[in-house]
Amino acid sequence: MCELLGMECNVPTDIGFSFSGLALRGGMRGPHADGWGLALYEGRSARTFLEPAPAANSALAAYIRGNPIKTLLAIAHVRRRTRGPVNLANTHPFVRELWGRHFTFAHNGTVRGIRKRLGPGRFRPIGTTDSEYAFCALMNRLERAFPKGYPEPSALARAVARAGGEIGQYGTFNFLLADGSQLFARCATRLCYIIRKAPFMKATLADDDIEVDFATVTTPRDRVAVIATAPLTRDEEWTIGRPGEMWVFRKGRLAETIPS
């Protein structure tokens, strides 16, 4: 299985601390050594870094950790291959354009037989993973559901939850999906989140002794939602997801929890 990381905020925030924890699981503290990726949003556009190699000893990943890029929305992934070879095309997160904005997707699990259920639509995979096929199937469903363009955010959230539930019938479908203004997080088996807000505290990575005092790098109005497959810190209280539900995060808040 792979591991997921998402961040959604009300002010531009550096994902470096959480990304450092995820990267350690990419071949050093965990077996997810078959590629890594990070997508950072700037408005409707996502800047994406991908590498079909272990994140733990990647010079590119180390550069990103050492040179903060602040963003309101980010998705990261470390891969442990189950379907498809280790190459760039099969490295998450995947990105597609819909309604003039980037949709970014990362998946944990295996969805069996998804190639036969891709359905009609313009979205087609570049690689060979079931994850990318599932992403394209989801995007085709969204485009058909809203032919007139980008819908009201809650309507889109309900459509994502519905499509996630349909595709999730065929396997394990934990995923993160972002559209530039909100982050969807579906729990099929394992997912958790934390919302950091004032009063800010210190936190230590679960897989290393790296510590940060968030009170020194934030303001009282900051809100940062972090979503991960498993808790990334050892001294914070994470909320554990229930299978079959999807969270929607907007401006650093948990805006909706929808059955999926």
Side-chain angles (χ1 to χ4, degrees), residues 19-242:
F19 181 66
S20 294
L22 184 74
L24 287 170
R25 297 176 181 179
M28 181 179 295
R29 306 291 188 185
H32 313 91
D34 297 322
W36 67 273
L38 172 64
L40 303 165
Y41 272 89
E42 185 175 331
R44 298 180 180 182
S45 300
R47 175 186 301 162
T48 308
F49 302 88
L50 301 171
E51 193 172 20
N57 54 18
S58 164
L60 178 58
Y63 177 84
I64 293 170
R65 296 198 302 271
N67 294 270
I69 303 173
K70 291 190 175 183
T71 182
L72 291 172
L73 182 52
I75 288 179
H77 182 274
V78 287
R79 183 184 182 212
R80 185 179 185 185
R81 183 182 73 88
T82 55
R83 301 285 180 90
V86 177
N87 58 34
L88 187 64
N90 289 338
T91 304
H92 308 219
F94 305 106
V95 180
R96 293 292 189 279
E97 178 277 330
L98 177 60
W99 304 314
R101 62 179 62 216
H102 281 151
F103 278 71
T104 304
F105 173 88
H107 169 228
N108 167 20
T110 300
V111 182
R112 299 171 183 82
I114 188 62
R115 299 183 187 192
K116 298 177 182 178
R117 303 179 176 92
L118 181 59
R122 66 183 174 95
F123 295 100
R124 290 292 182 268
I126 298 169
T128 58
T129 63
D130 60 302
S131 300
E132 191 182 11
Y133 271 86
F135 176 39
C136 290
L138 190 156
M139 293 296 288
N140 284 331
R141 284 166 167 78
L142 294 182
E143 187 171 47
R144 291 198 303 271
F146 304 104
K148 294 183 179 181
Y150 188 76
E152 188 271 330
S154 289
L156 178 58
R158 291 191 296 271
V160 171
R162 183 167 56 251
E166 293 170 357
I167 297 169
Q169 296 178 52
Y170 305 107
T172 304
F173 201 37
N174 301 290
F175 69 74
L176 299 178
L177 175 71
D179 68 1
S181 59
Q182 53 189 338
L183 177 63
F184 311 105
R186 181 180 191 268
C187 178
T189 53
R190 296 178 64 204
L191 206 61
C192 61
Y193 77 88
I194 188 169
I195 295 179
R196 297 188 177 116
K197 59 183 180 179
F200 289 96
M201 311 290 286
K202 294 181 179 180
T204 309
L205 289 179
D207 300 297
D208 206 335
D209 291 328
I210 299 174
E211 181 185 86
V212 64
D213 183 354
F214 288 111
T216 66
V217 294
T218 56
T219 70
R221 63 179 291 266
D222 292 6
R223 295 181 67 93
V224 180
V226 179
I227 304 91
T229 299
L232 291 169
T233 55
R234 68 180 77 155
D235 42 14
E236 295 181 293
E237 185 175 348
W238 292 69
T239 298
I240 306 301
R242 293 183 296 182

